[in-house]
Amino acid sequence: MITLERAKKWDIPRVWLLYQRAFPAGERKPFSIILSMAKEGRTDLWIIRKNGRFAGLATTVNSLELVLLDYFAVCKSLRGQGVGSAAMKTILDRYAPRGVLVEIESTRIPSGNAEERENRKRFYVNCGMTPLGTEVNLFGIRMELLGCRCNPDFEEYKGFYVKYYTKSAEKHVKPIKEEQV
């Protein structure tokens, strides 16, 4: 059985370790920012459990209309066993009827991990997310946007970052011009 629970203080070391292992350094914000945003109520920090045992993490940034699934990871030993799919279903149900937005590394540019990127995109699509046809330069990383129950244009997306992160995020969220795609 897969459950989603709010992270407790004693869960943080395990969450931090998976966060460090699952995401490239260039895509990780300082963990202290996640903790601070969770304390302020701007971020939900979730523990994914399988039969009561730690199985993964999810962080979301929330508005009244839109939820950004900021980080999502399943423990390496549990991947390919349906844990991620069950957790995504739980997340999408938890935040309904709000839209849920996901950012993934672009599958439209050459990379050393192209197969991994395609697999990640296929996973999210199989879980009910739709490619939105929008790519952004997010803190210097080219990302594709996928959504469920939402399709924000670039200005709405950027506005979300400015409002729910900080005004300084504005200079780090840039559109990808069609000729760059």
Side-chain angles (χ1 to χ4, degrees):
M1 175 180 201
I2 304 302
T3 58
L4 198 63
E5 302 171 11
R6 290 196 187 274
K8 306 283 191 281
K9 189 175 186 175
W10 53 84
D11 294 314
I12 299 305
R14 189 173 281 163
V15 170
W16 180 84
L17 187 58
L18 179 56
Y19 179 72
Q20 294 293 312
R21 290 178 176 167
F23 301 100
E27 294 181 26
R28 291 190 310 253
K29 63 177 63 75
F31 197 67
S32 60
I33 290 175
I34 294 171
L35 294 177
S36 174
M37 289 177 68
K39 189 174 185 179
E40 295 166 3
R42 293 186 289 153
T43 290
D44 288 332
L45 180 53
W46 297 105
I47 298 294
I48 300 164
R49 295 200 188 278
K50 179 180 180 183
N51 300 324
R53 299 189 63 157
F54 181 81
L57 70 91
T59 67
T60 61
V61 180
N62 314 311
S63 76
L64 294 175
E65 305 85 29
L66 185 65
V67 173
L68 171 66
L69 181 57
D70 205 14
Y71 293 97
F72 179 78
V74 171
C75 295
K76 193 171 188 172
S77 64
L78 297 173
R79 293 179 192 158
Q81 298 177 31
V83 173
S85 297
M88 274 301 299
K89 180 183 181 336
T90 302
I91 289 167
L92 293 175
D93 290 348
R94 168 96 183 156
Y95 289 107
R98 289 184 272 178
V100 177
L101 188 64
V102 173
E103 306 151 331
I104 62 168
E105 293 172 300
S106 178
T107 59
R108 299 173 74 183
I109 58 173
S111 71
N113 68 340
E115 184 177 353
E116 180 182 322
R117 290 177 183 202
E118 287 292 341
N119 288 340
R120 185 175 298 118
K121 184 175 185 176
R122 189 171 20 268
F123 166 79
Y124 284 116
V125 168
N126 288 341
C127 288
M129 306 296 287
T130 302
L132 301 180
T134 302
E135 290 198 17
V136 298
N137 177 325
L138 183 62
F139 289 83
I141 299 169
R142 189 162 167 169
M143 305 293 266
E144 283 181 55
L145 302 182
L146 291 89
C148 178
R149 300 181 297 265
C150 67
N151 190 1
D153 64 22
F154 176 77
E155 291 305 319
E156 291 170 310
Y157 171 77
K158 185 176 181 178
F160 179 88
Y161 262 86
V162 170
K163 185 172 182 179
Y164 293 97
Y165 280 100
T166 64
K167 176 76 172 137
S168 63
E170 184 171 26
K171 64 184 173 194
H172 299 288
V173 181
K174 301 173 186 168
I176 298 290
K177 305 288 187 232
E178 199 54 43
E179 62 272 8
Q180 295 173 305
V181 174

